[in-house]
């Protein structure tokens, strides 16, 4: 405001000074032969008299009219600036009041706001270059599971990239929480007090309920027990999800370290009828229980939800003992679904449980679409998001071959030190007697007793027809029959200098040329 006032005062003084100078010049030169004036002195300057060669003098009336006009314009400018200053002051006061209100609410202990079952504020559609809208995305509900000890590490990258583009989603954790404008629902709410008091599995839950309202970070407190508590979320998430949104066609359950390529997912789901029972997932076993691995992601049709939680909203109560006895909640879900007549449809390799750098690329899945990834770090999510924005379309699947060409192939080299490429399909052990261990490979090098060197391991891999990569770890030589990129060993790992990895690039290129170009999967091909 001080600057504004000084600026306006300066303009007034400047205008008065200009007017004084004009009056002085007119008075001083009124009797002389010079009567010229610049054209901008008047809004309608007089034309020069060409016949006499003299410029007609500016009259006092013209000068007064010009001064009056300037004063009017200056007055309007001052009035507008004053009004702008008043408006800005009012806006600042309003914002300060809002901040005070928010601070007052936050200072009230023990009064958490109720979390809505579903964040319905999202109105955006999935967009990327060349992709205006994904048909069918509005018919899918994304259900993401996390934990309070990891939520602030894993969720923000999704909230900045993938989640805002999904119109229907739910996020569940083991404590009610809010990150930005997003509500995190307590999956464990609803279990009886007796159950949670009598079972040690809920020890972490009690700590979260005690310390999070006090503003304490669960990660800093180094609270343990997240794994055993996690299994109790699954059945409640299933029931709470259907209760919140029973009207959608498909329900996709994933973890906070999972990633979904939505164009691939929606194009694939068009091959199924949501009015039929489908439980799609990557198969795993817990004893004799066949289940869909939760981190890889599993999908239930509306018919499957109706047949299970639709018929029995409290279905989880029937599986309390199973949850307590089994290691994993996704296994309990599979058991409950099986008892409801919902069987698993194997959907690997489309539903994939690895990040790009640990996928074992082979002919088996090379030309298959990939829908999900698991064990994704925030940097992996960001890189995949950028890749998808450029390459995803509704007309063409993203294949494993595309992932290999973009994320893996450019970085394969003959040797990487301090690197574990995951070559563990076969171990080539040293023979103390110096005799070759493999009678079918008489030309394969062998070495006596001493640990294998990197060069010896490389030669052994070259002599093995199906060896695509190799690794030396503390003198142990291992082969890989599939292509993995792997990852750098942390610098503070004491074994960092004991790892060396290499790839047989000519063989890898031969595999790539054999498989490419991939034919896009047909509609009937659920598992490429």
């Amino acid at each position: 405001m001080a600057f504004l006032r000084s600026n306006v005062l300066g303009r007034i003084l400047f205008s008065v000074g200009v007017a004084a100078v004009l009056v002085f010049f007119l008075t001083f030169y009124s009797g002389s032969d010079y009567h010229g004036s610049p054209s901008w002195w008047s809004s309608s300057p007089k034309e020069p008299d060409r016949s006499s060669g003299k410029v007609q003098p500016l009259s006092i009336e013209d000068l007064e009219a010009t001064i009056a006009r300037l004063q009017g314009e200056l007055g309007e400018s001052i009035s507008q600036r004053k009004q702008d200053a008043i408006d800005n002051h009012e806006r600042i006061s309003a914002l300060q009041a809002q901040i005070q209100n928010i601070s007052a609410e936050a200072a009230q202990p023990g009064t958490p706001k109720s979390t809505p079952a579903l964040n319905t504020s999202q109105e955006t559609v999935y967009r990327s270059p060349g992709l205006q809208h994904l048909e069918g995305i509005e018919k899918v509900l994304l259900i993401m599971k996390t934990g309070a000890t990891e939520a602030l590490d894993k969720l923000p990258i999704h909230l900045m990239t993938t989640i805002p583009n999904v119109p229907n989603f739910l996020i569940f954790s083991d404590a009610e929480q809010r990150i930005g404008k997003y509500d995190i629902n307590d999956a464990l709410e609803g279990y009886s007090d007796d159950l949670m008091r009598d079972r040690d599995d809920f020890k972490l839950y009690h700590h979260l309920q005690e310390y999070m309202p006090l503003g304490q970070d669960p990660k800093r407190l180094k609270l343990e027990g997240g794994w055993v508590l996690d299994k109790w979320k699954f059945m409640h998430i299933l029931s709470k999800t259907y209760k919140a949104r029973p009207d959608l066609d498909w329900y996709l359950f994933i973890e906070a370290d999972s990633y979904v390529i939505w164009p691939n997912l929606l194009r694939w789901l068009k091959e199924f009828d949501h009015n039929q029972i489908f439980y799609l997932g990557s198969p795993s076993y817990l004893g004799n229980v066949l289940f869909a691995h939760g981190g890889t992601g599993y999908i239930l049709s509306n018919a499957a939800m109706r047949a299970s939680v639709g018929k029995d909203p409290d279905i989880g109560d029937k599986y309390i003992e199973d949850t307590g006895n089994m290691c994993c909640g996704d296994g309990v879900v599979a058991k409950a679904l099986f008892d409801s007549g919902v069987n698993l449809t194997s959907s690997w390799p489309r539903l994939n449980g690895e990040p790009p750098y640990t996928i074992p690329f082979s002919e088996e899945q090379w030309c298959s679409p990939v829908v999900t990834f698991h064990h994704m770090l925030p940097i992996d999510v960001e890189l995949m998001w950028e890749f998808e924005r450029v390459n995803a379309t509704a007309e063409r699947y993203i294949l494993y071959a595309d992932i290999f060409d973009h994320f893996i192939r450019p970085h394969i080299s003959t040797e990487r030190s301090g690197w574990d490429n995951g070559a563990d399909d076969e171990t080539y052990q040293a023979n103390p007697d110096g005799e070759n261990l493999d009678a079918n490979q008489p030309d394969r090098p062998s070495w006596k007793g001493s640990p294998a060197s990197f060069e010896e391991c490389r030669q052994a891999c070259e002599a093995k027809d199906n060896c695509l990569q190799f690794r030396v770890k503390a003198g142990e030589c291992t082969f890989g029959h599939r292509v993995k990129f792997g990852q750098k060993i942390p610098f503070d790992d004491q074994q960092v200098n004991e790892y060396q990895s290499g790839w047989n690039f000519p063989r890898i290129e031969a595999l790539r040329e054999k498989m490419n170009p991939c034919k896009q999967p047909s509609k009937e091909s659920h598992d490429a």
Side-chain angles (χ1 to χ4, degrees):
M1 292 294 292
F3 171 78
L4 181 60
R5 287 195 295 268
S6 63
N7 193 23
V8 172
L9 180 60
R11 290 175 176 269
I12 295 173
L13 293 176
F14 176 77
S15 301
V16 172
V18 170
V21 171
L22 292 177
V23 172
F24 170 79
F25 269 91
L26 288 174
T27 304
F28 184 80
Y29 289 109
S30 60
S32 65
D33 291 337
Y34 176 77
H35 299 290
S37 63
S39 60
W40 51 268
W41 280 21
S42 172
S43 59
S44 55
K46 296 183 178 298
E47 290 293 326
D49 184 353
R50 305 292 182 183
S51 61
S52 64
K54 294 183 179 181
V55 178
Q56 296 296 321
L58 184 66
S59 69
I60 295 298
E61 291 80 5
D62 291 335
L63 177 61
E64 290 175 346
T66 300
I67 292 174
R69 178 174 56 81
L70 292 174
Q71 288 176 334
E73 293 176 356
L74 182 60
E76 293 177 0
S77 176
I78 294 173
S79 299
Q80 183 61 45
R81 288 176 179 270
K82 287 182 178 179
Q83 186 60 46
D84 290 344
I86 293 172
D87 293 342
N88 288 334
H89 179 72
E90 292 177 350
R91 283 194 290 268
I92 291 172
S93 298
L95 289 173
Q96 289 174 336
Q98 292 180 18
I99 293 172
Q100 291 175 353
N101 291 335
I102 294 173
S103 299
E105 292 179 3
Q108 298 297 324
T111 57
K113 293 183 177 180
S114 61
T115 303
L118 182 66
N119 185 338
T120 58
S121 62
Q122 303 303 308
E123 298 179 355
T124 56
V125 294
Y126 192 97
R127 297 183 182 277
S128 66
L131 184 64
Q132 295 303 313
H133 178 65
L134 281 178
E135 180 184 356
I137 194 171
E138 72 283 354
K139 300 176 182 179
V140 180
L141 178 62
L142 172 69
I143 305 99
M144 181 175 286
K145 178 175 68 67
T146 186
T149 59
E150 66 176 19
L152 290 175
D153 292 330
K154 296 182 177 181
L155 279 181
I157 187 62
H158 287 290
L159 303 181
M160 292 186 290
T161 56
T162 59
I163 291 292
N165 298 283
V166 180
N168 303 305
F169 63 88
L170 280 167
I171 306 175
F172 286 98
S173 182
D174 41 27
E176 186 179 281
Q177 199 173 355
R178 187 174 178 86
I179 300 180
K181 65 179 181 179
Y182 298 97
D183 297 304
I184 316 300
N185 299 280
D186 182 357
L188 301 173
E189 182 274 329
Y191 279 119
S192 69
D193 292 339
D194 291 341
L195 173 69
M196 292 191 287
R197 183 182 60 249
D198 296 340
R199 290 184 180 267
D200 290 340
D201 291 354
F202 288 91
K203 183 178 180 179
L204 171 61
Y205 184 72
H206 298 314
H207 285 320
L208 295 175
Q209 299 304 307
E210 179 180 0
Y211 292 111
M212 287 188 67
L214 301 178
Q216 300 302 299
D217 180 6
K219 186 175 181 180
R220 186 187 69 82
L221 296 178
K222 301 185 183 301
L223 297 177
E224 298 180 351
W227 173 252
V228 295
L229 182 61
D230 184 76
K231 65 181 181 179
W232 292 95
K233 302 172 192 173
F234 282 81
M235 290 303 297
H236 264 208
I237 289 176
L238 193 68
S239 297
K240 290 173 181 286
T241 293
Y242 189 71
K243 181 178 179 180
R245 293 301 302 269
D247 56 323
L248 296 174
D249 292 354
W250 298 100
Y251 299 82
L252 168 62
F253 298 82
I254 62 170
E255 308 273 344
D257 61 347
S258 304
Y259 188 93
V260 181
I261 298 183
W262 281 91
N264 279 9
L265 170 67
L266 296 174
R267 187 178 181 190
W268 179 41
L269 289 180
K270 290 180 180 179
E271 303 173 13
F272 302 93
D273 181 359
H274 67 275
N275 291 310
Q276 301 296 317
I277 291 178
F278 283 106
Y279 169 34
L280 309 174
S282 179
S284 298
Y285 275 96
L286 280 175
N288 61 350
V289 177
L290 177 65
F291 72 101
H293 180 245
T296 301
Y298 56 93
I299 304 168
L300 290 171
S301 65
N302 185 276
M305 294 289 276
R306 292 198 312 270
S308 52
V309 290
K311 290 183 177 180
D312 186 359
D314 299 319
I315 190 173
D317 294 342
K318 296 179 179 179
Y319 295 89
I320 296 294
E321 292 304 318
D322 291 295
T323 303
N325 295 331
M326 298 176 70
C327 73
C328 308
D330 38 11
V332 181
V333 168
K335 189 176 188 306
L337 292 174
F338 178 80
D339 292 344
S340 301
V342 179
N343 296 317
L344 176 64
T345 298
S346 176
S347 302
W348 185 89
R350 296 187 186 230
L351 299 180
N352 154 66
E354 300 289 340
Y357 48 84
T358 59
I359 292 175
F361 291 92
S362 67
E363 295 184 22
E364 191 173 8
Q365 89 278 50
W366 191 275
C367 291
S368 169
V370 56
V371 173
T372 61
F373 300 88
H374 188 215
H375 301 302
M376 297 283 278
L377 299 174
I379 189 173
D380 302 326
V381 173
E382 169 61 26
L383 293 174
M384 185 60 68
W385 167 251
E386 294 297 334
F387 167 77
E388 186 183 359
R389 288 178 62 204
V390 174
N391 295 278
T393 69
E395 292 75 31
R396 180 188 178 277
Y397 277 117
I398 290 179
L399 309 178
Y400 278 87
D402 301 313
I403 301 300
F404 177 82
D405 283 347
H406 182 84
F407 290 97
I408 309 303
R409 184 170 178 261
H411 307 297
I412 290 178
S413 60
T414 55
E415 177 181 358
R416 284 187 180 273
S417 298
W419 193 276
D420 181 6
N421 67 2
D424 54 8
D425 291 320
E426 180 181 356
T427 300
Y428 185 35
Q429 297 175 339
N431 184 352
D433 299 327
E435 297 178 359
N436 199 297
L437 296 178
D438 189 349
N440 297 322
Q441 295 283 341
D443 298 328
R444 189 177 76 175
S446 62
W447 51 90
K448 294 183 178 180
S450 62
S453 68
F454 182 80
E455 180 59 25
E456 288 171 328
C457 192
R458 182 189 65 79
Q459 293 179 16
C461 178
E462 289 182 352
K464 188 83 171 176
D465 291 340
N466 62 349
C467 180
L468 298 177
Q469 61 185 63
F470 58 96
R471 178 192 65 191
V472 174
K473 174 187 174 183
E476 179 185 65
C477 173
T478 54
F479 300 150
H481 305 157
R482 300 162 296 176
V483 185
K484 296 180 187 178
F485 184 55
Q487 53 193 329
K488 179 75 174 70
I489 301 297
F491 286 102
D492 61 353
D493 191 314
Q494 294 182 355
Q495 292 185 309
V496 62
N497 295 321
E498 298 182 6
Y499 280 84
Q500 283 181 291
S501 295
W503 293 262
N504 191 317
F505 194 70
R507 287 181 182 166
I508 294 172
E509 283 295 280
L511 170 65
R512 180 175 177 271
E513 292 176 4
K514 174 184 177 182
M515 300 303 298
N516 289 343
C518 288
K519 181 181 179 181
Q520 285 286 304
S522 63
K523 182 176 181 180
E524 294 76 19
S525 178
H526 293 172
D527 299 290

